[in-house]
């Protein structure tokens, strides 16, 4: 069955339907399984390439192909999508992700003679490198840049009284199987190069390509960050650490901003004069307002957590809250399965990781301050448990903040 009739806009239409329906419903409806070889990557989201192609063919011709109607792989689906200008990447084998977490839990970290705690140099260096992945910066890092940025980080968040020696994680992270160093002559790489060799040859280091590919997936990346923090950095102030290295997005499920004001305050804490202004240029995510209205209508503007119906200007008021946040670093989908109808208070608490929904559908407080109770779900409002799982992982990551 030829795929030559598929156009760019047909693929876009298929991805939009994928997001509206949710992955599992989409695949079940059109008769596909999860991608085994290739995934379509678009705006930070990953799609099952064969399923998208089959549905796109339906948009183009009226003939919606099912899994058995055509073969997938580099010569068919991947080639078709690539020729239309889409990015197609190998799918993430589950075993690779599991192996990544296992390697992160078993770093060969040293222990000082006077301190039984494991060194933080490799874990901190890995978190710093993951932050670069979030910002889509180059995978390989020149030694001078690593030295100048990681060195102060090791002083600030390393073990008390420990020396900051960035050359050690730069070189010894190779032992994790996740990291590589390039640019050291073979005859000098039989043992750890000294500072003179590093400064003279300007080598580069960074995640291996396979590791970097895994970490581009937001769910895998969150799991990696949580694994590193829980294994090696339990006593570190994570909020301060994340702010320091550029991972502040992981301290909230949404887009709550830090309180900030540039106004001068008087002796009573009041701002003198009008509020300050500044010119900005922003790139904002365009949300599907129809989806927001739909979730509010389905839930009759009642908060799914506290069952409250607020009123504003003599009308019912509620907010559509994404379970897994939109945009960087979470890259959650704007779909009904990722939306809750909440009051303003519960929205703030949910985004601020003060409450979460457990695997049994019970709302719990992260500080265990109140008894759990069921999340209310209206008929016709599907919810994806995977998004709740992502939110729970964020809560777990932020439970201990030093």
């Amino acid at each position: 069955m030829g795929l030559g009739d598929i156009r760019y806009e047909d693929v876009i239409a298929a991805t939009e339907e994928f997001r509206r329906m949710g992955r599992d419903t989409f695949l079940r409806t059109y008769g596909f399984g999860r991608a085994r070889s290739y995934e379509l990557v678009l705006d930070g989201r990953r799609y099952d390439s064969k399923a998208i192609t089959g549905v796109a063919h339906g948009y183009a011709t009226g003939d919606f192909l099912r899994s058995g109607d055509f073969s997938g792989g580099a010569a068919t689906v991947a080639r078709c999508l690539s020729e239309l200008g889409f990015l197609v990447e190998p799918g993430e084998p589950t075993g690779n992700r599991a192996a990544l977490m296992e390697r992160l839990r078993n770093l060969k970290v040293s222990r000082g003679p006077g301190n039984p705690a494991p060194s933080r140099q490799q874990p901190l260096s890995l978190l710093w490198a993951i932050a670069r992945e979030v910002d889509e910066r180059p995978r390989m890092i020149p030694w001078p840049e690593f030295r100048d940025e990681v060195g102060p980080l090791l002083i600030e968040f390393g073990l008390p009284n420990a020396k900051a020696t960035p050359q050690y994680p730069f070189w010894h992270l190779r032992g994790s199987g996740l990291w590589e160093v390039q640019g050291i002559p073979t005859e000098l790489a039989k043992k750890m190069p000294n500072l003179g060799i590093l400064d003279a040859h300007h080598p580069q280091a960074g995640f291996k390509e396979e590791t970097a590919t895994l970490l581009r997936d937001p769910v895998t990346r969150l799991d990696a960050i949580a694994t590193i923090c829980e294994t090696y950095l339990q006593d570190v102030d994570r909020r301060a650490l994340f702010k320091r290295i550029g991972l502040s997005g992981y301290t909230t499920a949404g887009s709550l901003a830090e309180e900030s004001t540039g106004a001068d305050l008087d002796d009573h804490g009041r701002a003198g004069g009008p509020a300050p202004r500044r010119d900005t240029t922003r790139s904002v995510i365009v949300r599907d307002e129809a989806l927001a209205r739909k979730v509010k209508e389905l839930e009759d503007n009642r908060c799914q957590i506290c069952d409250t119906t607020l009123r504003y200007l003599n009308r019912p008021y509620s907010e559509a809250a994404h379970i897994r946040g939109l945009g960087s670093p979470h890259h959650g989908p704007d779909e009904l399965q990722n939306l809750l109808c909440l009051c303003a208070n519960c929205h703030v608490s949910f985004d601020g990781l003060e409450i979460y929904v457990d695997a049994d559908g019970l709302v719990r407080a992260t500080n265990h301050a109140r008894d759990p109770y069921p999340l209310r779900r209206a008929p016709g409002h599907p919810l994806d448990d995977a998004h709740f799982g992502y939110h729970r992982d964020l809560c777990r990551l932020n439970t201990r903040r030093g």
Side-chain angles (χ1 to χ4, degrees), residues 131 134-135 225 238-258 328-330 351 353 394 397-398:
V134 174
D135 290 339
I225 293 170
R238 294 177 191 174
R239 191 174 293 275
L241 172 60
F242 288 177
K243 183 176 181 179
R244 169 71 170 75
I245 62 178
L247 291 178
S248 291
Y250 288 98
T251 61
T252 170
S255 56
L256 296 177
E258 296 284 345
S328 182
H330 310 304
D351 277 3
L353 308 177
L394 275 178
L397 175 62
N398 285 272

Side-chain angles (χ1 to χ4, degrees), residues 130-159:
I130 290 174
R132 291 175 57 91
E133 288 292 335
V134 174
D135 290 339
E136 299 181 357
R137 297 174 66 186
R139 177 176 64 90
M140 300 302 291
I141 310 147
W143 158 244
E145 182 179 353
F146 186 97
R147 176 196 62 208
D148 294 345
E149 294 193 19
V150 173
L153 180 68
L154 301 182
I155 295 174
E156 189 173 350
F157 292 96
L159 290 173

